[in-house]
Amino acid sequence: GPPGTLRPFLGGKGNGLIDMASLGVRVPPAFILGLPICAELFREDADRQGFREAVGRYLGQLEEQTGRRLGSPEKPLLVSARSGTTISLPGSMCTILNAGLTPAIREALAARHGAAFADAVYLRFLRNVLVALETDAPAPGGPEAGPAQAERLVTAKLGAAFLEDPFEQLLKCIELVFASSRSHNVREYLKELSIEVNFGTAVTVQQMVFGNKNADSMSGVVFTRNPINGRDELFGEYREMTQGEDVVMGNIVTRSVATVPAAVRAGLQKYKELLEKKLKHELDLEFTVEDGELYLLQARRATVSTYARVVIDTDLMKKGFISVYEYRGRIDRLCAGNAYISVPRNDGGAREWKPPVGTGVPINHGIASG
């Protein structure tokens, strides 16, 4: 992992990827441009040449790692540019997927995987760029549902070269994500939280993996514990032939992760055990399977019910992932934050905890059905 001094500049997403990779979890290769670069780029006398050279250097390393090249129709490297702030700003920051598309690469993708796949990849890229430009994208499913209309809007804003020169395209996408940290949405959100408006984000540039490539591909989101009752089981949803964004945004009908193919399930289970032991918390994982290969894209602490948290922390303590002292501290913090819970104490040390009836603990969220 990076030295501790660097961590604050890499954003939540970047640090999560570094932690996963260092544990041997398969994550798509990436490089991270830290917060100070964002600040530097928005100065009057920004060193744009230095920025270009740095991105070129990191890109070269990424090409070596992946065995693919930006702009190559034979072995194209397509990347995502994602923001990573130190505080979570849900839905406020931009993500641009599939950067590195040129007309020649789109033709090659269509020849190899069909026009529908090539169009879907291109349309997602154009729509993400339009969101970053704070321009309304054409409505999906209308007469202009294909990429043509979106392409016209992007070209009008950024010029034709943007869609033809892959390196210029990547630089511009990174700048757009940096700029989204100063967008209207972010300003409003920070004001609401009464946080000093300290603009900036890290940007993670990561190789794209495609859950919508073929029948051996899928995307999903999974909790390492049941978020309602804390049970030690994988809980979540996935869909074959689908990109992760669609699962996360809830735009499609998904299946329960209980029905995921055995090999994928075994991989998720292995990663769950590795990560929980290391990070000492229940986690929310985003995964993609491309051509039968499982990749994790994100691992962050999950949001679970108060009841689930007690059950999970008790289990983590029993497994030896956290000490009895850490466990007591967590229970104390839980009680301080949820005054309506009465947790029975036993000064002989921690014991298995069962919620007393009528304490206001939300224990009836579908538990009976399990």
Side-chain angles (χ1 to χ4, degrees):
T5 48
L6 265 181
R7 277 191 173 268
F9 300 119
L10 300 179
K13 269 217 175 82
N15 282 312
L17 289 175
I18 290 164
D19 290 339
M20 287 194 286
S22 67
L23 287 173
V25 172
R26 187 194 293 266
V27 295
F31 63 85
I32 302 160
L33 301 166
L35 274 156
I37 299 177
C38 183
E40 166 63 31
L41 267 187
F42 287 105
R43 291 205 349 234
E44 288 294 302
D45 56 345
D47 176 8
R48 317 231 25 120
Q49 192 49 37
F51 169 64
R52 292 177 71 93
E53 283 164 15
V55 172
R57 207 165 45 246
Y58 294 136
L59 175 65
Q61 293 167 4
L62 191 58
E63 289 176 332
E64 237 163 79
Q65 266 182 301
T66 57
R68 297 173 165 273
R69 292 191 76 80
L70 192 76
S72 151
E74 293 70 50
K75 283 202 152 178
L77 172 64
L78 297 182
V79 296
S80 58
R82 294 173 190 272
S83 61
T85 45
T86 36
I87 57 164
S88 179
L89 297 165
S92 302
M93 306 292 269
C94 288
T95 292
I96 298 179
L97 301 181
N98 308 332
L101 281 171
T102 60
I105 289 174
R106 296 203 320 271
E107 267 172 49
L109 286 180
R112 228 167 287 151
H113 307 292
F117 174 73
D119 274 0
V121 167
Y122 188 41
L123 186 57
R124 169 134 302 148
F125 166 67
L126 294 170
R127 285 178 168 281
N128 288 164
V129 170
L130 288 171
V131 169
L133 290 166
E134 301 192 59
T135 301
D136 289 335
E144 296 280 11
Q149 168 70 356
E151 186 180 74
R152 277 199 292 278
L153 290 169
V154 168
T155 310
K157 288 264 182 174
L158 298 175
F162 173 75
L163 297 175
E164 282 149 25
D165 180 329
F167 188 62
E168 292 304 327
Q169 191 179 105
L170 174 60
L171 287 173
K172 187 68 194 168
C173 289
I174 292 169
E175 287 178 28
L176 283 171
V177 176
F178 276 140
S180 74
S181 68
R182 307 163 157 242
S183 70
H184 175 72
N185 281 357
V186 171
R187 279 191 186 147
E188 293 304 303
Y189 193 81
L190 291 174
K191 234 187 272 170
E192 236 167 82
L193 296 179
S194 315
I195 290 175
E196 183 194 337
V197 182
N198 188 355
F199 296 120
T201 179
V203 172
T204 300
V205 176
Q206 185 172 33
Q207 180 190 5
M208 285 294 304
V209 287
F210 294 97
N212 56 344
K213 194 167 174 186
N214 54 28
D216 264 345
S217 305
M218 66 185 68
S219 295
V221 182
V222 66
F223 286 86
T224 59
R225 304 280 170 142
N226 184 311
I228 299 157
N229 58 29
R231 202 174 289 149
D232 187 357
E233 63 190 8
L234 293 175
F235 180 98
E237 50 188 355
Y238 76 100
R239 183 65 190 264
E240 303 93 339
M241 289 285 294
T242 305
Q243 267 305 72
E245 300 293 293
D246 292 326
V247 178
V248 175
M249 313 280 275
N251 331 353
I252 48 155
V253 178
T254 53
R255 303 174 203 285
S256 157
V257 86
T259 65
V260 82
V264 176
R265 188 180 185 77
L268 287 171
Q269 190 62 35
K270 183 182 94 179
Y271 287 158
K272 160 206 162 88
E273 285 159 22
L274 251 181
L275 290 166
E276 278 193 344
K277 191 169 190 176
K278 163 82 175 164
L279 302 174
K280 306 184 184 321
H281 276 293
E282 62 292 343
L283 299 161
D284 167 359
L285 308 175
E286 277 180 40
F287 71 91
T288 289
V289 175
E290 179 186 89
D291 266 343
E293 290 279 1
L294 170 66
Y295 296 88
L296 288 196
L297 305 182
Q298 180 155 299
R300 59 182 166 196
R301 191 170 163 179
T303 306
V304 299
S305 77
T306 309
Y307 172 71
R309 169 132 295 132
V310 177
V311 174
I312 293 164
D313 285 342
T314 305
D315 187 56
L316 293 176
M317 181 204 50
K318 280 181 171 169
K319 288 198 163 105
F321 291 1
I322 60 173
S323 68
V324 174
Y325 298 107
E326 167 65 14
Y327 175 69
R328 298 270 323 233
R330 286 187 183 189
I331 295 294
D332 286 341
R333 288 195 293 277
L334 201 68
C335 292
N338 300 274
Y340 62 91
I341 293 183
S342 67
V343 176
R345 291 312 173 101
N346 160 7
D347 289 334
R351 57 183 174 169
E352 179 155 16
W353 183 81
K354 293 207 164 48
V357 177
T359 53
V361 179
I363 60 169
N364 57 346
H365 285 17
I367 290 169
S369 64

